[in-house]
Amino acid sequence: MAAGIQLVGVDGARAGWIAVYEAGESMAYGVFPDPVTLVRAFPNAWVLSVDMPIGLADSGPRSPDSLARRFVGGRRACSIFSAPVRCILDAQSQPEASLRHRAIDGRGFGAQAFAILPKIRDWDALLLASSTARERVYEVHPEVSFAALNGGVGLVAGKKTREGALLRTNLLSTEFGREVVEGLLASVPRREAAPDDVLDALVAFWSARRISSGSYRSLPSPPERDSCGLRMAIHY
């Protein structure tokens, strides 16, 4: 990747992780198999905004998750999963994860949440191992960013519906231009990332731009830190 890339928006995708960044007057993308490869591809990026829980509670729910649900509101609030407590990251099965999670704070751990546990574990390991990555990587959530882009009102239509895709494209077009947004969507093969993943990565880039300029907000504000010193907040 080009050494001059400063801002990157990241979302999970079929082929791994899709990263969106500026390339002249348009937006470009790359797909990477794991967080380490992705971060190494952008050695000079100031901000990498990632749709993944960063900073984990030792017990009880994280405040960023509950605050994000309140911020988004409505039906889309359910798309914001509760992050796991830190000590179950090594669980090898959903029943094991749920049993251990319930023993710690009374909540089980569902199948959808367990499906992303390896991804949370990968990012957590990277950030604990690299002080440089800890400074550059920020947690975002697309539904929070889209709500902010929509004047503080959460979107009603789901991202995989035609109506939801059109609404998200329209919102991003006000920031980047319709030609740029549609060009990015057309450039990404579906075997690598679905259209909703591309739009989520682009709105993550929008949040990265706000973080870089200092105009961002966070849930909570100011950001908390977990017991390992990682930032524990959703930025937008």
Side-chain angles (χ1 to χ4, degrees):
M1 294 295 167
I5 295 170
Q6 298 177 340
L7 307 175
V8 185
V10 180
D11 190 61
R14 290 170 179 167
W17 297 92
I18 180 169
V20 167
Y21 54 93
E22 285 183 315
E25 298 298 317
S26 62
M27 302 298 299
Y29 81 97
V31 175
F32 304 90
D34 56 71
V36 172
T37 305
L38 189 155
V39 170
R40 285 177 178 170
F42 301 98
N44 297 316
W46 297 347
V47 178
L48 297 98
S49 56
V50 181
D51 175 21
M52 188 55 49
I54 294 171
L56 302 173
D58 292 323
S59 64
R62 298 193 319 162
S63 63
D65 302 331
S66 56
L67 290 171
R69 291 189 197 98
R70 192 180 311 161
F71 182 81
V72 171
R75 292 188 302 177
R76 298 307 301 158
C78 67
S79 68
I80 301 169
F81 298 143
S82 293
V85 293
R86 173 167 292 284
C87 65
I88 73 153
L89 283 182
D90 62 341
Q92 297 301 304
S93 70
Q94 188 272 328
E96 176 194 353
S98 188
L99 184 66
R100 290 169 57 184
H101 210 281
R102 193 177 300 280
I104 293 166
D105 69 2
R107 296 177 299 148
F109 199 67
Q112 285 183 302
F114 181 75
I116 66 169
L117 191 66
K119 294 182 177 182
I120 298 173
R121 186 165 55 229
D122 287 348
W123 280 103
D124 187 71
L126 167 63
L127 296 173
L128 291 179
S130 170
S131 60
T132 301
R134 286 197 294 275
E135 291 302 313
R136 299 192 296 150
V137 175
Y138 291 77
E139 177 183 350
V140 298
H141 194 290
E143 293 299 331
V144 171
S145 296
F146 275 120
L149 191 51
N150 194 41
V153 179
L155 307 188
V156 175
K159 65 181 184 177
K160 294 185 182 295
T161 67
R162 180 175 298 181
E163 178 186 0
L166 179 60
L167 177 56
R168 287 161 175 76
T169 299
N170 288 342
L171 287 169
L172 290 167
S173 294
T174 65
E175 295 291 320
F176 300 99
R178 183 166 298 276
E179 184 177 343
V180 169
V181 176
E182 292 183 348
L184 177 64
L185 284 167
S187 71
V188 182
R190 294 203 175 197
R191 67 178 180 276
E192 293 186 329
D196 59 285
D197 295 329
V198 178
L199 295 175
D200 282 353
L202 184 54
V203 82
F205 176 87
W206 175 79
S207 293
R209 196 165 60 180
R210 285 165 57 92
I211 294 166
S212 177
S213 69
S215 61
Y216 74 97
R217 296 183 181 181
S218 67
L219 302 169
S221 180
E224 299 172 347
R225 296 272 176 174
D226 74 0
S227 60
C228 293
L230 302 184
R231 270 188 298 261
M232 189 162 61
I234 293 173
H235 303 78
Y236 65 95

